[in-house]
Amino acid sequence: MYNSNNKFDVIIVGGGHAGIEAAVASAKMKKKTLLITSNIDTIGQMSCNPAIGGIGKSHLVKEIDALNGIMAIATDYSGINFKILNKSKGPAVRSTRAQTDRELYKKTIKYILSKQKNLLFFQQEVKKIIIKNYQVTGIITKNNDIINAKVIILTTGTFLNGKIYIGLNNQYHGGRINDSSSKELANFLNEELPLTKGRLKTGTPPRIDKRSINFSKLEVQYSDIPLPCFSFIGNSKQHPKQLPCYITYTNKNTHQIIIDNITKSPMYSGLITSKGPRYCPSLEDKIIRFPNREKHQIFLEPEGIFNSEIYPNGISTSFPYNIQLSIIKSIKGLENACITRLGYAVEYDFYDPRGLKPTMESKFIKRLFFAGQINGTTGYEEAAVQGLIAGLNAALLIDNKKQWFPLRNQAYMGVLIDDLCTLGTKEPYRMFTSRAEHRLLLRENNADIRLTKIGYKLGLVNDIRWQKFNEKLNNIEKLYQKIKNFNINYDNKIKIKKLNSLLKSPIKEKLNGISLLKRSEINHKNLIELKIFDFNIKNIEVIEYIETELKYKGYIKRQLELIKKQKKNENILIPIDIKFNDIRSLSNEAKDKFYFYKPYTLGQASRIPGITPADVSILLIYLLKKKREIA
């Protein structure tokens, strides 16, 4: 089947979260797609915590869903504990998080992929990419099979030269426990391609047998009621059985064990020199970096409905077995705990994402795309976003259509891609709401309103999702008109009395529903509970969207005006072969920075550290002059 006469449109190398979304996007764009991975059984594997979402990350999942990706759908069918984080804060930073059943998530992903037209799978390791005249034409597998393709997308995760560490004397090559690393492909990329390589590190905690835990000593956390959903076309009936999570803490004894044995950690013995994720540090890092903290929170999270293992979120470590066990047993509720799997650290190769266009295509090798941890990110959600954008643009490139990537003011996707491609990263990149300067516009609850229409025009969104999206828009408009036409008269003393109990200043005039919802002291839940609104609201998400738009209308308007001013020159493309030295008015410092960062657009150039508005103006004038000369 796989020979020199067999040609695919797109080949995706790697079956992790980036590879999955890339494959689905490419196939939905009607491209003959091959997903090649060293082990088909691990497609959709959650290598670390089986959880989706969280602060900032959930916005990415919602955006993937708005563009018809599958991460949110799979989470709704496998989530066993759903929470809304930051509920007491503003709508811009509220985030959904779901603990999932590890096996059920993987099975759901594989089922969806198996039903996807235009998508085939092949279990084999890739050792080389075929490149002619700086353009990819195919791949060579470990068995020397040649498979031709128009586009290659690399989504290799932690497998490129991956090396696993458990203690000082237990280290071996692997991209994940029980999975070998991809050394031949890594060597090819390092030796044959003009790419800037780096080395990063991540880790995972030991797993614990839940039968050995004394849960009666621990704080319990149940799912929120009503149960949240991730997908805009999902519902809570799709969720499986819900299980509680638990909270415990490290203590002074735990910390002393770590301090006494710190030289036995690969990270503090000099064995590991690469950087790990700053916002998801190992337990060793926590104790050394924060010596005055008396305790650190640990979430004990179930790995599945029929799984006896617990994931202790917050104690990632690479200590040897005996020290890992001592640490575990020093923690409240875990005094008699049994470890089922050891925690470990893994080092792996990544490539400077500044060598990519915002479409995820290499600036140096045509039709070669990179997505996921190979670009220096960490997290399932960050990887999946890049995969979707790469798969989409691979298809558009093949069709000779204009490629698309989200801007910073359109999506968290845009923030992530712009951060990577403009600034690069020296540590595993993780998404946070604080990274987005327009986060009031980029909320969870409007991801579909921001992106689904774009996805439909591009060919990613199918008719079923498009119809449901338009039904939502109609429901929003109908409910808005109902609220607008709803009036409460001062004569209605019962309702007035209820309202005044919530307000800082009493009502003295006739008010409609819009005026009520604009007030900071009142929310839609108050009005429903007190039966102020006398109409049935079936879809809470719809009224939540309307309320947010009303309450923050002034702020939203100001952000939109600012974006409008910035937008004029944001997307002006900078030729890859531009000679910055020819721009005489530019300072030498600016020229050096432009050569180093290789900005793809004028917007990217403006966000390079140390670049001034004057530098951007000079560059703009030069580009416009060149454009007139060509015309």
Side-chain angles (χ1 to χ4, degrees):
M1 179 179 176
Y2 303 101
N3 54 55
S4 58
N5 296 319
N6 192 338
K7 188 165 186 176
F8 287 87
D9 291 317
V10 180
I11 293 177
I12 292 101
V13 181
H17 303 279
I20 289 163
E21 296 294 349
V24 170
S26 170
K28 284 182 176 178
M29 298 287 284
K30 300 179 180 177
K31 296 294 165 281
K32 187 179 179 183
T33 305
L34 176 68
L35 177 61
I36 184 167
T37 179
S38 58
N39 188 349
I40 286 178
D41 293 334
T42 58
I43 290 176
Q45 178 86 313
M46 302 177 111
S47 304
C48 200
N49 190 3
I52 296 293
I55 306 300
K57 289 171 171 281
S58 66
H59 293 67
L60 295 175
V61 182
K62 296 276 188 177
E63 290 170 359
I64 291 168
D65 186 67
L67 290 171
N68 213 25
I70 65 173
M71 179 171 270
I73 293 170
T75 303
D76 281 338
Y77 277 101
S78 61
I80 53 179
N81 188 287
F82 284 83
K83 303 287 288 185
I84 300 294
L85 309 180
N86 283 344
K87 279 190 287 189
S88 61
K89 297 183 179 180
V93 295
R94 288 175 200 154
S95 301
T96 308
R97 184 187 186 276
Q99 188 70 16
T100 65
D101 182 307
R102 184 186 297 278
E103 290 303 314
L104 188 52
Y105 182 89
K106 188 165 67 173
K107 286 179 181 178
T108 305
I109 288 288
K110 291 180 76 173
Y111 176 78
I112 295 171
L113 293 179
S114 70
K115 298 296 180 181
Q116 179 61 55
K117 294 180 180 178
N118 308 311
L119 178 59
L120 294 174
F121 309 94
F122 188 36
Q123 181 171 291
Q124 187 60 254
E125 187 178 327
V126 175
K127 70 176 183 180
K128 287 185 180 180
I129 299 166
I130 305 170
I131 300 171
K132 296 179 180 177
N133 298 321
Y134 293 96
Q135 179 170 313
V136 297
T137 63
I139 59 170
I140 301 175
T141 71
K142 198 166 186 176
N143 287 348
N144 293 316
D145 297 313
I146 294 175
I147 310 176
N148 296 313
K150 298 174 183 176
V151 171
I152 306 295
I153 304 176
L154 294 181
T155 66
T156 50
T158 60
F159 283 76
L160 288 177
N161 269 331
K163 192 172 185 181
I164 290 173
Y165 296 84
I166 304 174
L168 302 183
N169 302 315
N170 189 0
Q171 47 189 285
Y172 54 91
H173 287 284
R176 178 172 52 211
I177 204 77
N178 298 324
D179 285 314
S180 61
S181 62
S182 182
K183 290 190 283 186
E184 287 189 90
L185 180 58
N187 291 338
F188 170 81
L189 294 173
N190 294 338
E191 295 170 5
E192 303 293 331
L193 301 186
L195 304 172
T196 303
K197 187 195 84 169
R199 195 97 169 132
L200 293 175
K201 169 247 165 201
T202 189
T204 190
R207 307 305 197 268
I208 302 171
D209 190 325
K210 69 179 180 183
R211 296 168 297 181
S212 65
I213 298 173
N214 186 348
F215 290 108
S216 65
K217 291 184 176 183
L218 308 179
E219 300 174 34
V220 62
Q221 284 200 323
Y222 297 102
S223 293
D224 285 351
I225 301 295
L227 281 173
C229 286
F230 259 109
S231 176
F232 289 105
I233 60 173
N235 63 74
S236 60
K237 293 179 182 177
Q238 296 166 341
H239 299 340
K241 178 184 177 181
Q242 297 298 289
L243 300 178
C245 295
Y246 295 86
I247 297 176
T248 186
Y249 299 87
T250 63
N251 52 59
K252 290 181 179 179
N253 186 21
T254 312
H255 300 182
Q256 194 60 51
I257 293 170
I258 293 166
I259 292 168
D260 290 345
N261 293 280
I262 196 64
T263 56
K264 297 174 184 176
S265 165
M267 291 173 52
Y268 285 88
S269 67
L271 281 178
I272 298 177
T273 57
S274 54
K275 286 191 176 181
R278 190 194 324 174
Y279 300 101
C280 188
S282 68
L283 187 55
E284 294 99 297
D285 271 342
K286 288 180 181 178
I287 305 310
I288 299 301
R289 285 167 51 188
F290 307 105
N292 296 324
R293 289 281 296 272
E294 294 186 354
K295 62 180 181 179
H296 293 275
Q297 193 172 59
I298 303 168
F299 290 92
L300 299 178
E301 299 166 332
E303 296 234 340
I305 297 170
F306 303 107
N307 190 317
S308 65
E309 289 181 305
I310 291 289
Y311 183 97
N313 189 350
I315 55 172
S316 173
T317 183
S318 55
F319 273 123
Y321 168 74
N322 61 324
I323 299 173
Q324 289 194 31
L325 186 60
S326 296
I327 289 169
I328 291 292
K329 288 182 175 293
S330 72
I331 295 168
K332 184 179 179 180
L334 308 183
E335 294 87 353
N336 299 308
C338 298
I339 291 178
T340 56
R341 305 172 200 242
L342 286 172
Y344 62 90
V346 56
E347 271 191 312
Y348 55 94
D349 289 351
F350 84 104
Y351 295 93
D352 190 343
R354 288 173 298 190
L356 301 176
K357 301 174 185 178
T359 58
M360 299 284 99
E361 184 186 10
S362 171
K363 292 177 180 176
F364 310 108
I365 309 295
K366 294 178 182 178
R367 302 196 169 214
L368 176 62
F369 288 71
F370 292 74
Q373 285 183 275
I374 192 172
N375 293 332
T377 60
T378 182
Y380 309 142
E381 303 85 355
E382 289 87 346
V385 160
Q386 296 168 71
L388 186 147
I389 296 300
L392 164 65
N393 282 302
L396 293 172
L397 181 62
I398 290 169
D399 290 339
N400 292 316
K401 291 181 179 179
K402 183 179 179 181
Q403 293 178 280
W404 178 83
F405 55 88
L407 302 178
R408 296 184 74 91
N409 56 55
Q410 285 180 306
Y412 273 82
M413 289 180 170
V415 174
L416 180 147
I417 290 169
D418 185 60
D419 281 351
L420 290 176
C421 296
T422 304
L423 305 176
T425 186
K426 294 180 180 179
E427 63 185 25
Y429 179 99
R430 179 181 174 182
M431 179 50 67
F432 291 99
T433 52
S434 58
R435 294 190 187 273
E437 58 270 44
H438 303 296
R439 58 182 175 271
L440 188 54
L441 301 178
L442 311 181
R443 307 184 305 274
E444 268 196 356
N445 68 1
N446 70 351
D448 56 341
I449 292 170
R450 288 184 277 118
L451 296 172
T452 297
K453 187 176 180 180
I454 293 172
Y456 185 70
K457 287 182 178 179
L458 290 169
L460 264 181
V461 172
N462 59 22
D463 290 336
I464 295 172
R465 184 179 285 269
W466 180 243
Q467 182 182 345
K468 290 188 176 183
F469 172 68
N470 281 291
E471 286 174 4
K472 178 179 177 177
L473 293 183
N474 290 333
N475 290 336
I476 289 172
E477 180 58 28
K478 286 178 183 177
L479 183 56
Y480 179 84
Q481 291 302 325
K482 277 187 178 182
I483 294 171
K484 183 180 178 181
N485 295 328
F486 174 82
N487 290 288
I488 183 164
N489 294 317
Y490 194 68
D491 296 336
N492 192 328
K493 297 190 182 301
I494 296 175
K495 287 188 176 181
I496 292 294
K497 186 177 180 181
K498 289 179 180 178
L499 276 174
N500 283 340
S501 67
L502 301 172
L503 298 174
K504 293 176 182 177
S505 56
I507 294 175
K508 295 182 179 178
E509 58 185 83
K510 180 179 176 180
L511 290 175
N512 67 7
I514 300 293
S515 300
L516 284 174
L517 277 181
K518 279 184 177 180
R519 294 208 172 197
S520 59
E521 315 99 294
I522 291 179
N523 59 50
H524 68 277
K525 291 179 181 177
N526 302 142
L527 300 178
I528 294 169
E529 288 169 2
L530 295 175
K531 298 182 180 179
I532 304 297
F533 280 166
D534 55 3
F535 46 86
N536 185 29
I537 299 173
K538 294 180 180 178
N539 193 335
I540 296 298
E541 287 183 0
V542 169
I543 193 170
E544 284 179 345
Y545 171 79
I546 293 171
E547 181 183 355
T548 303
E549 291 288 313
L550 290 173
K551 274 186 165 57
Y552 297 93
K553 186 176 181 180
Y555 299 104
I556 291 171
K557 184 180 178 182
R558 284 198 290 275
Q559 284 200 1
L560 289 172
E561 287 172 352
L562 178 62
I563 290 166
K564 190 176 180 181
K565 290 179 183 177
Q566 296 171 336
K567 197 174 181 180
K568 186 177 179 182
N569 300 321
E570 171 72 30
N571 293 327
I572 293 177
L573 296 178
I574 299 173
I576 291 175
D577 59 353
I578 188 173
K579 293 180 174 58
F580 294 108
N581 284 332
D582 292 346
I583 309 175
R584 294 180 181 178
S585 301
L586 272 181
S587 67
N588 288 332
E589 182 185 359
K591 290 175 184 177
D592 290 343
K593 287 182 180 293
F594 286 148
Y595 275 119
F596 182 75
Y597 285 97
K598 298 179 178 62
Y600 185 65
T601 65
L602 199 67
Q604 273 194 347
S606 69
R607 289 186 287 277
I608 294 172
I611 292 297
T612 67
D615 296 328
V616 177
S617 296
I618 291 167
L619 180 56
L620 172 61
I621 292 167
Y622 178 83
L623 292 172
L624 293 176
K625 181 182 176 183
K626 285 293 180 183
K627 187 177 180 181
R628 286 194 297 269
E629 288 174 358
I630 294 171

